Amino acid sequence: MRGAQDPGLQPERTALSWTRTAGGMLLNALICLRTGYTSGSLALLGLSCALLVAAALTFGFGRRRSLVLVRHGPQIAADVAAMRWVTAATLLAVVTGLWAIAQQR
Amino acid sequence: MTTPTPDPRTRAPAWRTGGEEPDYRFTLANERTFLAWIRTALALLAAGVLLDQFSTQLTPHGGVATAAVLLSWAAAALSVLAYTRWRGNDIAMRHKAPLPYSHALAVLAGTVGLACMALGAWIAVSGLRA
């Protein structure tokens, strides 16, 4: 029914964009998790698990966002908190990635 | 159904309520642009970490690590830039001002292009030496 409301498929494209972003975060979490296992670093494993949770939460944000757009109309703008959250989660991914690079030494 | 209902649980900052509510298509496009920049940052980061992990034959390895760290820093910068650009675009749209121009895209394209050429040359040289 989404397409019927909006010929530009705006809600659908926005929801997919959130899913892709969560996927990118999941990929980074898995790469770092692998390094955590091979190097046996507990700190890196912890950071990677946190990143895994962040990816799951980002996926959840996207899911909630798409429901809001479909149920209440595409006029509802995104939460500032959600955008800040994603930025913070990406910075967490950077810290985890740098940690993984340091573990290779 | 069509009028946005303000959620009392989330306190919107002052810049989010000023001016005139933009067309929802532009708001959603801005949101997707933000997410696209975040994904670009995540891709740069993954490239850096994977480069460091899988280029064991490439010497000196300190150079590889430096490239990986630089890519990670670029990812951090891009994620912050994604947020500030989203915010700036939203404010501009609310006040019907021109969207803020950014050199980010040109800098990113140049950096990625140079990094690819440098890495390609490096791999070729170490292949010849081996």
Side-chain angles (χ1 to χ4, degrees):
Chain A
M1 288 311 281
R2 294 174 196 177
Q5 288 172 6
D6 186 330
L9 298 171
Q10 300 279 342
E12 196 169 339
R13 276 155 61 198
T14 308
L16 283 171
S17 204
W18 275 95
T19 312
R20 282 199 300 273
T21 306
M25 221 171 269
L26 176 69
L27 176 75
N28 274 282
L30 291 177
I31 292 169
C32 293
L33 203 59
R34 178 190 162 276
T35 314
Y37 271 116
T38 51
S39 67
S41 160
L42 277 181
L44 184 56
L45 279 175
L47 277 171
S48 306
C49 287
L51 195 55
L52 217 50
V53 173
L57 285 175
T58 307
F59 185 78
F61 264 130
R63 184 86 199 106
R64 198 184 70 178
R65 185 88 182 100
S66 73
L67 286 178
V68 164
L69 289 175
V70 169
R71 285 191 191 149
H72 303 282
Q75 286 81 3
I76 311 280
D79 258 3
V80 179
M83 306 309 239
R84 285 182 185 160
W85 152 260
V86 175
T87 310
T90 310
L91 289 174
L92 170 72
V94 171
V95 172
T96 314
L98 283 172
W99 205 291
I101 293 167
Q103 282 302 316
Q104 295 292 100
R105 303 282 75 76
Chain B
M1 262 317 237
T2 47
T3 44
T5 41
D7 190 343
R9 286 171 304 172
T10 50
R11 288 171 293 111
W15 60 265
R16 203 76 205 282
T17 47
E20 199 183 313
E21 194 68 40
D23 186 322
Y24 77 89
R25 285 170 296 180
F26 302 154
T27 313
L28 291 182
N30 193 20
E31 184 178 336
R32 290 196 298 270
T33 307
F34 163 80
L35 290 170
W37 276 107
I38 288 287
R39 283 196 300 278
T40 308
L42 288 171
L44 281 186
L45 179 64
V49 177
L50 287 176
L51 173 72
D52 181 59
Q53 288 186 4
F54 288 107
S55 60
T56 45
Q57 306 288 311
L58 219 53
T59 49
H61 199 71
V64 176
T66 308
V69 169
L70 286 178
L71 280 168
S72 308
W73 280 351
L78 275 191
S79 63
V80 174
L81 186 96
Y83 179 77
T84 51
R85 281 206 70 192
W86 171 75
R87 185 177 178 274
N89 285 342
D90 198 78
I91 294 171
M93 289 192 298
R94 284 177 177 279
H95 296 95
K96 304 239 183 296
L99 295 185
Y101 181 76
S102 159
H103 293 282
L105 207 54
V107 172
L108 176 70
T111 310
V112 171
L114 281 176
C116 286
M117 283 194 277
L119 273 171
W122 194 356
I123 290 167
V125 167
S126 27
L128 285 176
R129 253 197 262 135

